[in-house]
């Protein structure tokens, strides 16, 4: 087989195209392939797809293709232009590349595969492309995926805020809890942020929302009430946020008490922060004896911890009424504990109880979409280098959006 025929096959050139020349330059580890249109090609107007006459050819264009062994491989071609009576002069699409891409379809798909596995810096090293080229692929892929995405609102929503770049910048993420995808990312966590998402849908579509898990965050609650019919029965306060509220109260008490004890030369609470925050069964074995001793020492921290641990039982109930009874008993205990931060947390939970109890109907929380949170966390870690908020958002769509990212093959 001749090299020109080999590359014509490898590039899957259809009728109307051939490889004119292949040049190998071993000193540069580079293969250059010149493709040209054959005279007998019938060209379709890019707009209306009717057969039209050849007008002229563009200047030579260049596409990076998959490597040939160790050699970077480039495709060169002058693309035919047609003159349609209705649409004027148009460039014929190259069957091997998408519009305005500097890569062939196969190379673009391979870059997307690589970008799914590592960050842009890693991809640019492995694939020998520049960072900007790698990032350009991410942008194109997300744009393509979002254009193709069907217009629909998920039945089970997860609404969560994520901080960005260690500052007090937030993004609101709207997730599809059933598909485990991020549907929408919008700046800030204000009422308007979430309303920007809801606002895309008709009243009928919004009525299709069965439940929405979220933090006890007033702007999200208000936005959901404003847009989703029967929001009162559909809002489910996220289990994780409920637990965190009480854990934070325990931590506050520990800090206060440690300060007080340390002033008297008592260092028992030093270095114990994570022991009190962990679930009881997750206390490391090597610290169990130490932990048991301080727990039994009748410290305020120990009492707060016991109240926090007791609340875990709440989530094990099957029936809403039983869970409610349990909560009210727990609430009595918590509010009579004389532990300020615990009382405050318990009162917040009581005020939001109706939509904490909706959990027993819908059984959703933001961790329902398994793996989604760890994926978002991975993007956040990769995004440490991004000082740009738009980059962070695009990376979330790329990795967590469940989008069809790949270029479509061009019908020849
Ligand atoms: Zn036309």
């Amino acid at each position: 087989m001749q090299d020109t025929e080999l590359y014509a096959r490898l590039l899957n050139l259809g009728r109307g195209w051939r490889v004119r020349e292949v040049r190998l330059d071993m000193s540069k580890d580079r293969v250059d392939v010149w493709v040209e249109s054959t005279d007998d090609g019938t060209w379709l107007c890019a707009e209306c797809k009717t057969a039209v006459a050849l007008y002229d050819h563009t200047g030579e264009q260049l596409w990076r293709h998959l490597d040939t062994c160790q050699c970077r491989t480039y495709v060169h071609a002058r693309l035919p232009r047609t003159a349609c009576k209705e649409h004027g002069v148009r460039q014929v699409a190259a069957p091997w590349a998408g519009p305005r891409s500097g890569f062939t379809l196969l190379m673009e798909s391979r870059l997307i595969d690589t970008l799914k596995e590592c960050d842009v810096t890693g991809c640019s090293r492995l694939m020998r492309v520049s960072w900007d080229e790698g990032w350009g692929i991410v942008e194109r892929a997300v744009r393509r995926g979002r254009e193709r995405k069907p217009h629909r609102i998920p039945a089970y929503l997860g609404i969560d805020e994520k901080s960005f770049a260690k500052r007090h910048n937030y993004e609101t993420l709207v997730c599809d809890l059933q598909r485990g995808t991020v549907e929408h990312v919008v700046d800030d966590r204000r009422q308007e942020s979430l309303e920007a998402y809801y606002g895309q849908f008709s009243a009928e579509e919004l009525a299709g929302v069965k439940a929405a898990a979220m933090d006890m965050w007033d702007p999200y609650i208000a936005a959901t009430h404003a847009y989703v019919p029967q929001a009162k029965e559909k809002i489910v306060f996220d289990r994780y946020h409920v637990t965190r509220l009480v854990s934070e109260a325990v931590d506050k008490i520990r800090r206060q008490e440690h300060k007080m004890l340390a002033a008297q030369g008592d260092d028992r609470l030093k270095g114990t922060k994570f022991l009190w925050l962990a679930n009881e069964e997750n206390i490391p074995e090597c610290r169990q004896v130490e932990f048991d001793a301080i727990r039994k020492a009748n410290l305020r921290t120990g009492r707060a911890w016991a109240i926090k641990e007791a609340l875990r039982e709440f989530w094990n109930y099957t029936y809403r009424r039983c869970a409610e009874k349990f909560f009210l008993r727990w609430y009595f205990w918590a509010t009579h504990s004389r532990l300020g931060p615990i009382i405050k947390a318990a009162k917040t939970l009581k005020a939001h109880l109706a939509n904490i109890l909706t959990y027993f109907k819908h059984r959703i929380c933001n961790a329902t979409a398994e793996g989604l949170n760890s994926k978002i966390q991975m993007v956040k870690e990769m995004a440490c280098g991004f000082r740009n908020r738009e980059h962070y958002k695009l990376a979330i769509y790329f990795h967590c959006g469940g989008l069809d990212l790949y270029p479509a093959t061009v019908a020849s």
Side-chain angles (χ1 to χ4, degrees):
M1 189 185 281
Q2 284 225 321
D3 54 2
T4 49
E5 196 190 329
L6 175 70
Y7 275 91
R9 293 247 196 122
L10 290 175
L11 287 166
N12 198 21
L13 296 181
R15 203 176 137 261
W17 301 92
R18 67 187 183 100
V19 173
R20 189 186 75 220
E21 190 185 347
V22 177
R23 255 187 244 160
L24 169 68
D25 184 343
M26 284 310 288
S27 68
K28 290 184 182 152
D29 281 345
R30 179 175 170 131
V31 173
D32 286 274
V33 181
W34 279 266
V35 173
E36 62 185 12
S37 58
T38 54
D39 290 336
D40 64 345
T42 317
W43 305 110
L44 302 180
C45 164
E47 201 76 25
C48 62
K49 312 288 177 205
T50 51
V52 275
L54 177 72
Y55 177 74
D56 65 355
H57 286 85
T58 65
E60 189 173 281
Q61 299 182 36
L62 186 68
W63 294 266
R64 170 91 183 270
H65 187 51
L66 294 170
D67 291 352
T68 305
C69 300
Q70 71 273 43
C71 299
R72 284 189 182 88
T73 301
Y74 294 87
V75 175
H76 304 244
R78 295 173 63 207
L79 295 178
R81 298 203 302 167
T82 55
C84 169
K85 275 188 190 128
E86 207 182 327
H87 299 106
V89 177
R90 290 290 159 96
Q91 179 180 304
V92 167
W96 56 86
R100 291 173 299 281
S101 173
F103 297 98
T104 63
L105 295 170
L106 285 171
M107 181 63 169
E108 195 163 341
S109 298
R110 177 67 60 83
L111 285 166
I112 292 171
D113 286 338
T114 313
L115 285 160
K116 281 182 167 179
E117 302 293 330
C118 58
D119 64 3
V120 177
T121 308
C123 170
S124 62
R125 280 194 207 122
L126 283 170
M127 300 296 289
R128 300 188 288 183
V129 296
S130 71
W131 194 95
D132 285 340
E133 285 172 325
W135 185 254
I137 295 288
V138 172
E139 283 179 323
R140 281 170 65 88
V142 169
R143 198 183 317 129
R144 190 155 49 217
R146 285 176 57 78
E147 278 166 11
R148 288 173 184 164
K149 191 182 166 73
H151 175 83
R152 58 177 274 283
I153 187 161
Y156 291 94
L157 293 170
I159 297 147
D160 210 353
E161 84 280 345
K162 295 280 171 204
S163 62
F164 167 68
K166 289 183 189 159
R167 274 170 265 142
H168 291 285
N169 289 327
Y170 285 91
E171 299 292 339
T172 296
L173 268 56
V174 181
C175 306
D176 180 335
L177 294 180
Q178 282 178 312
R179 287 173 69 225
T181 53
V182 175
E183 294 293 296
H184 197 77
V185 189
V186 64
D187 289 344
D188 301 321
R189 45 173 187 166
R190 293 171 295 144
Q191 186 172 339
E192 303 88 274
S193 317
L194 186 53
E195 287 184 345
Y197 173 71
Y198 288 142
Q200 306 172 75
F201 301 99
S202 69
E204 200 184 352
E205 287 166 326
L206 288 159
V209 173
K210 292 200 170 106
M214 66 183 74
D215 191 2
M216 290 169 279
W217 179 246
D218 290 338
Y220 291 165
I221 300 168
T224 306
H225 276 283
Y227 279 83
V228 179
Q230 279 129 33
K232 215 174 142 196
E233 286 108 69
K234 293 176 178 176
I235 292 174
V236 181
F237 290 130
D238 187 47
R239 184 178 159 164
Y240 167 78
H241 286 104
V242 168
T243 309
R244 194 176 65 183
L245 197 76
V246 184
S247 296
E248 280 169 0
V250 175
D251 196 46
K252 198 167 179 191
I253 292 166
R254 179 197 59 83
R255 275 183 281 133
Q256 289 168 351
E257 193 167 37
H258 173 53
K259 216 168 157 188
M260 215 180 67
L261 291 177
Q264 300 160 12
D266 181 347
D267 259 352
R268 270 181 297 172
L269 288 175
K270 196 176 174 186
T272 62
K273 177 175 176 172
F274 291 100
L275 300 178
W276 304 107
L277 297 183
N279 292 335
E280 189 170 8
E281 62 277 14
N282 295 338
I283 306 280
E285 221 175 294
C286 59
R287 301 197 65 180
Q288 195 68 57
V289 175
E290 171 203 356
F291 185 66
D292 285 345
I294 24 177
R295 209 175 76 188
K296 287 174 187 149
N298 199 26
L299 295 173
R300 287 164 63 79
T301 312
R303 285 199 293 125
W305 175 84
I307 294 169
K308 177 203 76 161
E309 284 296 294
L311 187 61
R312 289 172 60 200
E313 173 85 21
F314 176 71
W315 307 105
N316 296 335
Y317 280 90
T318 309
Y319 300 105
R320 179 193 168 123
R321 287 235 326 261
C322 303
E324 186 173 6
K325 268 191 198 160
F326 173 87
F327 179 85
L328 294 173
R329 282 199 307 273
W330 177 86
Y331 178 76
F332 183 83
W333 179 22
T335 47
H336 287 78
S337 64
R338 284 171 288 118
L339 299 165
I342 286 284
I343 296 171
K344 197 174 160 220
K347 286 189 168 163
T348 305
L349 296 187
K350 177 87 182 306
H352 292 87
L353 186 59
N355 289 101
I356 295 173
L357 289 168
T358 45
Y359 173 80
F360 297 96
K361 181 178 177 201
H362 301 295
R363 301 259 163 205
I364 55 163
C365 62
N366 278 330
T368 304
E370 220 162 305
L372 182 60
N373 271 315
S374 58
K375 243 183 184 176
I376 295 170
Q377 192 54 36
M378 179 199 79
V379 175
K380 274 184 80 166
E381 278 157 26
M382 290 201 307
C384 282
F386 302 163
R387 253 154 270 130
N388 184 327
R389 199 166 189 157
E390 293 308 310
H391 282 187
Y392 176 53
K393 278 153 74 173
L394 270 178
I396 289 180
Y397 282 126
F398 185 86
H399 290 280
C400 313
L403 301 171
D404 176 10
L405 301 167
Y406 294 92
T409 50
V410 179
S412 51

